[in-house]
Amino acid sequence: CHSVWVAMTVAPFAIFGQSVAVKDGNVFYTVRDGRTLQITSSGLDSDPHLSRDHQRVVFVRRTPSLKIDTGVGDTSENELWIASTSGRQPPRRVLVGHAGGFKTDHNLVLAGFFSPQFSPDGNRIYFGADTWATSASFRMLDLASGRVRFLYAGLGLEVLQTGQYAGHIIALKIVPSMMAARIFRYWLVDP
């Protein structure tokens, strides 16, 4: 048995992929050629997610002057924003949180946003919100109508971007149990 090493020449831009990151509360976009573009400058941004076509980024903006009570305390992560990765248009706010109750009805608290993700077609944003002390609420924002829909109570979400189940959600949910222990299960949820 022996090893064979193959020397390859790789163009410098080939080692970089398009990605988004946060530094000092600002969103940065790394272009395929390795250049980094600053997308926001508020110093209040976190949790960026790149759209499948790499044209937009969704992120959470902190609202120091707007704190909302949730089941885990007051939070200031209360806005969702979208920005173009080209930097040609200014970022725009697409959702503002609000106070509310803790029953899953039209008055459910909407605050403490995290993990926003675009649907593969870019028409919806799925995200988590701090709601209860024992779990979060996961929601879907329809960008055309501005309507927010409650999906489930749970602990996590991942939107599949490609493959047979593109657009489906992998949901980490708590399953009620007759025993004292909590059971956690992953579910495949349709869009």
Side-chain angles (χ1 to χ4, degrees):
C1 185
H2 63 283
S3 297
V4 177
W5 289 87
V6 178
M8 293 176 41
T9 304
V10 178
F13 64 86
I15 61 173
F16 296 102
Q18 292 132 312
S19 63
V20 288
V22 171
K23 182 180 179 189
D24 299 324
N26 298 309
V27 177
F28 290 83
Y29 172 60
T30 300
V31 185
R32 184 169 292 196
D33 66 8
R35 290 177 297 126
T36 300
L37 306 172
Q38 185 169 347
I39 302 298
T40 68
S41 59
S42 72
L44 301 170
D45 304 326
S46 65
D47 264 355
H49 182 265
L50 195 56
S51 63
R52 184 173 177 199
D53 65 5
H54 302 262
Q55 300 298 308
R56 296 179 296 168
V57 60
V58 60
F59 56 92
V60 175
R61 179 160 287 171
R62 211 166 23 88
T63 56
S65 62
L66 172 63
K67 299 220 185 236
I68 298 174
D69 183 36
T70 70
V72 292
D74 287 351
T75 183
S76 62
E77 284 78 21
N78 298 319
E79 293 182 346
L80 289 180
W81 287 66
I82 293 177
S84 165
T85 55
S86 71
R88 291 186 203 126
Q89 299 94 14
R92 68 182 174 97
R93 185 176 61 194
V94 293
L95 184 64
V96 178
H98 59 75
F102 298 102
K103 292 183 181 180
T104 54
D105 60 17
H106 68 281
N107 192 37
L108 184 61
V109 64
L110 182 62
F113 302 149
F114 63 93
S115 243
Q117 299 172 48
F118 283 103
S119 60
D121 63 9
N123 294 329
R124 294 173 306 282
I125 297 172
Y126 296 92
F127 64 98
D130 292 333
T131 304
W132 303 284
T134 57
S135 65
S137 62
F138 289 89
R139 321 274 184 107
M140 182 269 300
L141 168 65
D142 181 287
L143 290 171
S145 69
R147 290 195 177 113
V148 176
R149 182 173 156 208
F150 173 80
L151 300 175
Y152 62 92
L155 300 174
L157 125 133
E158 183 69 31
V159 180
L160 300 175
Q161 297 294 318
T162 60
Q164 177 182 354
Y165 294 103
H168 285 66
I169 300 164
I170 297 177
L172 177 56
K173 296 179 68 175
I174 301 169
V175 178
S177 171
M178 299 302 282
M179 302 163 135
R182 293 171 29 164
I183 299 171
F184 302 95
R185 290 218 171 110
Y186 287 98
W187 296 75
L188 183 64
V189 180
D190 70 35

